[in-house]
Every structure is written in C-alpha cells, then in structure tokens.
Amino acid sequence: MGSKILTFGEVIMRLSPPGNKTMKQSHEMEFFFGGTELNVASSLATMGCDVTHISNVSDDFVGESALSFIKSFGINTTFINKNEHPLGLYFLEVGSSVRASRIAYNRLNGSFANIKPEQIDWKKALEGCKYFHWTGISPGISEGAYETLKEGLLTARKMGIEVTTDPAYRSNLWKYGKNGNEVLKELVSYSTIFIGGVNEINEILGTQFSSDQQGFIEACEELKKQCPSIHKIFDKIRIGVTASSQQTQGRALINGNYFETKFLEIDNVVDRIGTGDAFAAGLIYGLLNFDDEKALNFANAACAIKHTILGDVNYCSAEDILEVMAGNSGGRIKR
C-alpha cells in the first residue's frame, strides 16, 4: 500500500460579489473553483501529497477551466470525466461583523449529479492508496453519486484502505427520495476515521448527546458501537464571536483516550469557506506524518490559517501550518 490519497466529490464554481458587498449592491462577481472534497485534495497537494480526485465536469470551456485549475495543483485528473450537464455552482455573499454570510446553491442537475457507478474503475483508482476521503455532501446530491461512492467504499474496504469521512449533513440536498441520515450511517459504517462531533453523530444515529466533553466521549463510544469499523474520531470546534472573529479547537477520542488542542483565535477573518476542509486535509497530512495528537494540532492550525485566505482552498504549505501550530502567529514579514 502506497501513500496516495484519493478524494471523491463535486467540482463546483463559487460566485461572489467582491469584498463584502451584497448582490444587490454589485454588478461584478468573482469566481473560484472548489468543492468540499476538492478543497481537501488541493490543500493536500499543496503540502506535497500524491492526490487523485474523482468527479465529473461539464464538457465545455467552464469544465476545461475547472480541469486546468485542478491540474495546477498537480492533482491526478485521470478519473474526472466530462458530460453534457453544466458545472454546479453556488452564490456567496460574504458577511462581516454582525452580518452573516449567505449561500444559494445551483447543483442538483449538474455534471457531478449525473455521475454513474460504471464510469469509475474503483480497483484501478484505489491502487496504491493509503487514504480515501469522502463527505456527506456527495451522496446527498443524487442517487448516482450515492451509488458510485458506495461502490468505491466497498472496494476500499476489501483493499484494506483507510477511509476518512466528514459526514456533513446538508438538509437542502437529499431531494431524490432517500433518507439522508440513514444513508450516511450506512456509508460511515464502511469508513474507518470519522471527522465530526456530537452534532454529526446525533444526526446520523438519532441520538441526543450533549456537546460538552463527556457528551462527546459518550457520543463517540455509541458511534463506535453502531459502526464498529470506526477506530478514530476527530472533531473540529469553531466558536463564532462575530462573522469576522472566530476561535477554533480540535478534540479526539482514540482507543478510549480523549485529548484536545488549545483554542486558536482568528481576529480578522478573510474567508470562512473551506475551513472545515482545511481541517480535514491537515488531519490526513498529519496522520501520514505524525502521531495522532500532533496530527490533531496540525489540523487545527490548518483550519485556523485558512480563515486568512480568500477562496475555497487552503494554499498554505505544511511549513506555514507548523509555524502557526508552534505559536508563531504574530504575522511578522518573512524576509
């Protein structure tokens, strides 16, 4: 087994008015390519990892532009197919201080929503993989995405590959007739590393654990009881003081041992989009290179530093993240 990382998920375009304007104020839009799993892939590739992404894009100049963006990170695009459907997109108004950000999606009949299991040779795609990463957004988009992902997870299980999951539940998805919580529980049961906390566990299991430390521990134990393939659980905590000021912390339960990081403070948030993806990428990188506790601290630092970067992707190197992790957050100019 090698050190390759495989990610599966939508490639989506983000459109935003510049600065902190509302759409009513602006006649201009900035665009960025992203997508939850692609953000993880791009961050890992920036840190020097060997990454392959699986998806669909539109067979037009927009899809070509998306592919060029993905290739610019050195990500392997062999398993990204083209079809006649448009690339999914979403609109974001970036909030400030007491005004929250707002998002509207246009993705449910896009190119990724029309992915089919027969398009992917999963055994070939997973060859040499150490980690396979997915999130709960992908199976919520369409039945084809769910079936394609399930086939990949079953193949990864047979091949003994570590499967990381961020089972984010999005209630505005799941329009094709399946119960999102039931599907997520099924897919989590094929995974080995859970990136989420009490809220995610409560949604998947239908439980009502509290969000304090004891509630987290109890929720983790119940998750492992119902999904015994899960052997490590990592959680990101974010406290929003305002839209412009955030605090982040990581915590974990592994082999019955609880540990947590210190809080990191971000006083001038540039962009909150992709911060959870930065945490997931930092965690996977950390698990490849460090012990579990250092991996969690690295993930928390990656999450914190992403708040300072515009766009969906964390462009920071591993060295940049290690500096923040070490407490060097004064922002001195590097000469």
Coordinates of all heavy atoms in Angstrom, one line a residue, residues 5-7 40 44 130-135 153 161-167 190-195 230 234 280 283-284 287:
I5 N -3.4 9.5 -1.9 CA -4.7 9.9 -1.3 C -5.7 10.1 -2.4 O -5.5 10.7 -3.4 CB -4.6 11.2 -0.5 CG1 -3.6 11.0 0.6 CG2 -6.0 11.6 0.1 CD1 -3.0 12.3 1.1
L6 N -6.9 9.5 -2.2 CA -8.0 9.6 -3.2 C -9.1 10.4 -2.6 O -9.5 10.1 -1.5 CB -8.5 8.2 -3.6 CG -9.5 8.1 -4.8 CD1 -8.7 8.4 -6.1 CD2 -10.2 6.8 -4.9
T7 N -9.7 11.3 -3.4 CA -10.8 12.1 -2.9 C -11.9 11.9 -4.0 O -11.6 11.8 -5.2 CB -10.5 13.6 -2.7 OG1 -9.9 14.1 -3.9 CG2 -9.6 13.7 -1.5
V40 N -10.1 19.6 -0.1 CA -9.2 18.8 0.7 C -8.0 18.3 -0.2 O -6.9 18.3 0.2 CB -10.0 17.6 1.3 CG1 -9.0 16.6 1.9 CG2 -11.0 18.0 2.3
L44 N -4.0 19.2 0.3 CA -3.0 18.1 0.4 C -2.0 18.2 -0.7 O -0.8 18.0 -0.4 CB -3.8 16.7 0.4 CG -4.5 16.4 1.7 CD1 -5.5 15.3 1.4 CD2 -3.5 16.0 2.8
K130 N -3.4 5.0 0.3 CA -3.3 4.9 1.8 C -4.6 5.4 2.4 O -5.1 4.9 3.4 CB -2.1 5.8 2.3 CG -2.0 5.8 3.8 CD -1.5 4.5 4.4 CE -1.3 4.6 5.9 NZ -0.9 3.3 6.5
Y131 N -5.2 6.5 1.9 CA -6.4 7.1 2.4 C -7.4 7.4 1.3 O -6.9 7.9 0.2 CB -6.1 8.4 3.2 CG -5.4 8.2 4.5 CD1 -4.0 8.3 4.6 CD2 -6.2 8.0 5.6 CE1 -3.4 8.1 5.8 CE2 -5.6 7.8 6.9 CZ -4.2 7.9 7.0 OH -3.6 7.7 8.2
F132 N -8.6 7.2 1.6 CA -9.7 7.6 0.6 C -10.7 8.5 1.5 O -11.1 8.1 2.5 CB -10.5 6.3 0.2 CG -11.7 6.6 -0.6 CD1 -11.9 7.8 -1.4 CD2 -12.7 5.6 -0.7 CE1 -13.1 8.0 -2.1 CE2 -13.9 5.8 -1.4 CZ -14.0 7.0 -2.1
H133 N -10.9 9.7 1.0 CA -11.7 10.7 1.7 C -13.0 11.0 1.0 O -13.0 11.3 -0.2 CB -10.9 12.0 1.9 CG -11.6 13.1 2.7 ND1 -11.9 12.9 4.0 CD2 -12.2 14.2 2.3 CE1 -12.5 14.0 4.4 NE2 -12.8 14.8 3.4
W134 N -14.1 11.0 1.8 CA -15.4 11.4 1.2 C -16.1 12.3 2.3 O -15.8 12.2 3.5 CB -16.2 10.2 0.9 CG -16.7 9.4 2.0 CD1 -15.9 8.4 2.6 CD2 -17.9 9.4 2.7 NE1 -16.7 7.8 3.6 CE2 -17.9 8.4 3.7 CE3 -19.1 10.2 2.5 CZ2 -19.0 8.2 4.5 CZ3 -20.2 9.9 3.4 CH2 -20.1 8.9 4.4
T135 N -17.2 13.0 1.9 CA -18.0 13.7 2.8 C -19.5 13.4 2.5 O -19.8 12.9 1.5 CB -17.8 15.2 2.7 OG1 -18.6 15.8 1.6 CG2 -16.4 15.6 2.6
L153 N -16.5 2.8 -1.7 CA -16.2 2.5 -0.3 C -16.1 1.0 -0.1 O -15.3 0.5 0.7 CB -17.3 3.1 0.6 CG -17.3 4.6 0.7 CD1 -18.6 5.1 1.4 CD2 -16.1 5.1 1.3
I161 N -8.0 -0.2 2.8 CA -7.6 1.2 2.7 C -8.3 2.0 3.8 O -9.5 1.8 4.1 CB -7.9 1.8 1.3 CG1 -7.0 1.1 0.3 CG2 -7.7 3.3 1.3 CD1 -7.5 1.3 -1.1
E162 N -7.6 2.9 4.5 CA -8.2 3.8 5.5 C -9.1 4.7 4.8 O -8.8 5.4 3.8 CB -7.1 4.6 6.2 CG -6.2 3.8 7.1 CD -6.8 3.5 8.5 OE1 -8.0 3.7 8.7 OE2 -6.0 3.2 9.4
V163 N -10.3 4.8 5.3 CA -11.4 5.7 4.7 C -11.7 6.8 5.7 O -12.2 6.5 6.8 CB -12.6 4.9 4.3 CG1 -13.7 5.9 3.8 CG2 -12.3 3.9 3.3
T164 N -11.4 8.0 5.4 CA -11.8 9.2 6.3 C -13.1 9.8 5.8 O -13.3 9.9 4.6 CB -10.7 10.3 6.2 OG1 -10.5 10.7 4.9 CG2 -9.4 9.7 6.7
T165 N -14.0 10.1 6.7 CA -15.2 10.7 6.3 C -15.6 11.9 7.2 O -15.4 11.9 8.4 CB -16.4 9.7 6.4 OG1 -17.6 10.4 6.2 CG2 -16.5 9.1 7.8
D166 N -16.0 13.0 6.5 CA -16.6 14.1 7.2 C -18.1 14.1 6.8 O -18.5 14.6 5.7 CB -16.0 15.4 6.7 CG -16.7 16.7 7.2 OD1 -17.6 16.6 7.9 OD2 -16.2 17.8 6.8
P167 N -19.0 13.5 7.6 CA -20.3 13.2 7.2 C -21.3 14.3 7.2 O -22.4 14.2 7.8 CB -20.7 12.1 8.1 CG -20.0 12.5 9.4 CD -18.7 13.1 9.0
Y190 N -18.9 1.9 6.5 CA -17.8 1.4 5.6 C -16.5 2.2 5.8 O -15.5 1.9 5.1 CB -18.2 1.5 4.1 CG -19.6 0.8 3.8 CD1 -20.4 1.4 2.9 CD2 -19.9 -0.4 4.4 CE1 -21.6 0.8 2.6 CE2 -21.1 -1.0 4.1 CZ -22.0 -0.4 3.2 OH -23.2 -1.0 2.8
S191 N -16.5 3.1 6.7 CA -15.3 4.0 6.9 C -14.6 3.7 8.1 O -15.0 2.9 9.0 CB -15.8 5.5 6.9 OG -16.6 5.8 5.8
T192 N -13.4 4.3 8.3 CA -12.5 3.9 9.5 C -12.2 5.1 10.3 O -11.9 4.9 11.5 CB -11.2 3.2 9.0 OG1 -10.5 4.1 8.1 CG2 -11.5 1.9 8.2
I193 N -12.2 6.3 9.8 CA -11.8 7.5 10.6 C -12.9 8.5 10.4 O -13.2 8.9 9.3 CB -10.5 8.1 10.1 CG1 -9.3 7.0 10.4 CG2 -10.1 9.4 10.8 CD1 -8.0 7.4 9.8
F194 N -13.5 9.0 11.5 CA -14.6 9.9 11.5 C -14.2 11.3 11.9 O -13.6 11.5 12.9 CB -15.7 9.4 12.5 CG -17.0 10.1 12.5 CD1 -18.0 9.6 11.7 CD2 -17.2 11.2 13.3 CE1 -19.3 10.2 11.8 CE2 -18.4 11.8 13.4 CZ -19.5 11.3 12.6
I195 N -14.5 12.2 11.0 CA -14.1 13.6 11.2 C -15.4 14.4 11.5 O -16.1 14.8 10.6 CB -13.4 14.3 10.0 CG1 -12.2 13.4 9.7 CG2 -12.9 15.7 10.4 CD1 -11.4 13.8 8.4
I230 N -15.2 2.2 12.6 CA -14.6 3.4 13.0 C -13.7 3.2 14.2 O -14.1 2.7 15.2 CB -15.7 4.5 13.4 CG1 -16.6 4.8 12.2 CG2 -15.1 5.7 13.9 CD1 -15.9 5.5 11.1
F234 N -12.2 12.4 15.2 CA -11.6 13.7 15.4 C -12.7 14.8 15.2 O -13.5 14.6 14.2 CB -10.5 13.9 14.4 CG -9.3 13.0 14.5 CD1 -9.2 11.8 13.8 CD2 -8.2 13.3 15.3 CE1 -8.2 11.0 13.9 CE2 -7.1 12.5 15.5 CZ -7.1 11.3 14.8
A280 N -9.7 18.9 7.6 CA -9.7 17.5 7.2 C -8.4 17.2 6.4 O -7.7 16.2 6.7 CB -10.9 17.2 6.3
L283 N -5.6 17.1 8.9 CA -5.6 15.8 9.7 C -5.0 14.7 8.9 O -4.2 13.9 9.4 CB -7.1 15.5 10.1 CG -7.2 14.3 10.9 CD1 -6.5 14.4 12.2 CD2 -8.7 13.9 11.1
I284 N -5.4 14.6 7.6 CA -4.9 13.5 6.8 C -3.4 13.6 6.6 O -2.7 12.6 6.8 CB -5.6 13.4 5.4 CG1 -7.1 13.1 5.6 CG2 -5.0 12.4 4.5 CD1 -8.0 13.3 4.4
L287 N -1.9 12.6 9.9 CA -1.9 11.1 10.1 C -0.8 10.4 9.3 O -0.3 9.4 9.7 CB -3.3 10.5 9.8 CG -4.4 11.0 10.8 CD1 -5.7 10.5 10.3 CD2 -4.1 10.4 12.2

